[in-house]
Amino acid sequence: MAFREKGILFILSGPSGVGKGTVCRALRKRGTSLKYSISVTTREPRKGEIDGVHYFFKSREEFKGMVQNNKLLEWAEYVGNFYGTPIDYVRETLDSGQDVILEIEVQGALQVKKRFDEGIFIFLAPPSLQELKKRITGRGTETASLIENRLTMAKSEIELMQHYDYVVENDEVQAACDRIEAIVTGEHCKVSRLIEKYKRFSEVD
Amino acid sequence: MAFREKGILFILSGPSGVGKGTVCRALRKRGTSLKYSISVTTREPRKGEIDGVHYFFKSREEFKGMVQNNKLLEWAEYVGNFYGTPIDYVRETLDSGQDVILEIEVQGALQVKKRFDEGIFIFLAPPSLQELKKRITGRGTETASLIENRLTMAKSEIELMQHYDYVVENDEVQAACDRIEAIVTGEHCKVSRLIEKYKRFSEVD
């Protein structure tokens, strides 16, 4: 049987306001081979949202069952609804040889790290805390005390960077995408991932 | 003092005939920021060769002195002349923040590995042993028994791949260059290289 490389799970994470969503959308536009993980949620589908495409929609009972049966890589509650990453979907996609990218908050990433250590953890960092403050303030939706909370949280999240493999500075969206694509390419060249392929190729000759 | 990232030493190596020289020349043409290591040699300068640019030209006595004083990362004898990689030049370039790339035979790379484990070792691999045979035969300069010798050596060198960090398939020169450039970018994003930078940036705010 020919050697078939498995996909790699990339976890893109970082402080709130750093631009994870923007970077992910820009990556999608580039049409990379990365598959985007589909979350499970208990919230109601919005107009136009399709089950299995935008989300997997589940009842609270079903969601609890998934948590109890270790079917979620990570999960969290947000404004009264539950959100999580289904482990089966991720594993099946990786087994089919495709990479998966997961865009997620720092706390969620650390949950994933515990359960899926072979993932590649990328920390998206702001160029400076001043710049992060500007970005959060720029949204115009947060109060001064909320902004301060976020910055304090960002500082403590930066301290968790040591649990990650890579850090990508989001100074400019396209530059950040270039770095993420380079990381993906480089990870696929790791000897540890390819040694079996070359062992076989030496045998057959 | 601002954080200043040190350069990284990349060692590009692989079996004879795989195309290390071609890939290195193509990388040079791209004008990447990689500095090419300059070898020390005891052979006579050829017309147009400049000391300190193409090679560092040394007498056999001087060369032996460098070996004895651990001034060479690796060295070898080839057709009666000595060739080596000067450790001081490499260290100074890395300290100045520039990356260095070293194109070298597998045995030389393993010598470097022992003395400079923090280097990033890239194995340039042929798409198959059949293809490698074609490339060696295509040179038209080798006898049948020499070709067989080289293939046997290539097989044993592929077994040494486990001591490397990355393997880049040289299926097509530009594709191989793309992968090497991605590896360089990815290595510069490693958390282990940047954690000090972000620790400081959290302190000053």
Side-chain angles (χ1 to χ4, degrees), chain B residues 26-64:
Chain B
L27 268 177
R28 254 181 213 260
K29 269 201 180 164
R30 289 187 173 197
T32 67
S33 61
L34 295 164
K35 286 273 275 182
Y36 292 78
S37 167
I38 302 172
S39 296
V40 179
T41 183
T42 61
R43 82 154 163 73
E44 289 294 311
R46 293 186 192 135
K47 208 185 150 185
E49 281 182 345
I50 300 159
D51 186 52
V53 175
H54 301 94
Y55 285 96
F56 294 111
F57 295 101
K58 302 280 178 195
S59 69
R60 293 177 81 91
E61 277 315 302
E62 285 172 320
F63 195 97
K64 276 184 198 165

Side-chain angles (χ1 to χ4, degrees), chain A residues 121 123 125-130 155-156 158-159 161-169 178-179 181-183 185-192 194-195 197-199 201-202 204-205, chain B residues 121 123 125-130 155-156 158-159 161-169 178-179 181-183 185-192 194-195 197-199 201-202 204-205:
Chain A
F121 292 77
F123 192 97
S128 68
L129 286 179
Q130 291 88 336
K155 276 191 211 182
S156 66
I158 287 169
E159 310 228 331
M161 196 188 277
Q162 55 177 306
H163 301 293
Y164 287 69
D165 301 293
Y166 295 96
V167 49
V168 164
E169 190 175 304
D178 288 344
R179 290 176 200 126
E181 284 203 81
I183 290 166
T185 301
E187 279 296 327
H188 277 285
C189 292
K190 282 271 179 79
V191 163
S192 51
L194 294 168
I195 192 111
K197 171 177 167 181
Y198 286 97
K199 270 189 192 160
F201 128 167
S202 186
V204 295
D205 281 278
Chain B
F121 292 77
F123 192 96
S128 67
L129 285 179
Q130 291 88 337
K155 277 192 209 183
S156 66
I158 287 169
E159 309 228 332
M161 196 188 277
Q162 54 177 305
H163 302 292
Y164 286 70
D165 301 293
Y166 295 96
V167 49
V168 164
E169 190 176 303
D178 287 346
R179 291 178 199 126
E181 284 203 81
I183 290 166
T185 302
E187 280 294 327
H188 278 285
C189 293
K190 283 271 178 79
V191 163
S192 50
L194 295 168
I195 192 111
K197 171 179 167 180
Y198 287 97
K199 270 189 194 161
F201 128 168
S202 186
V204 295
D205 282 277

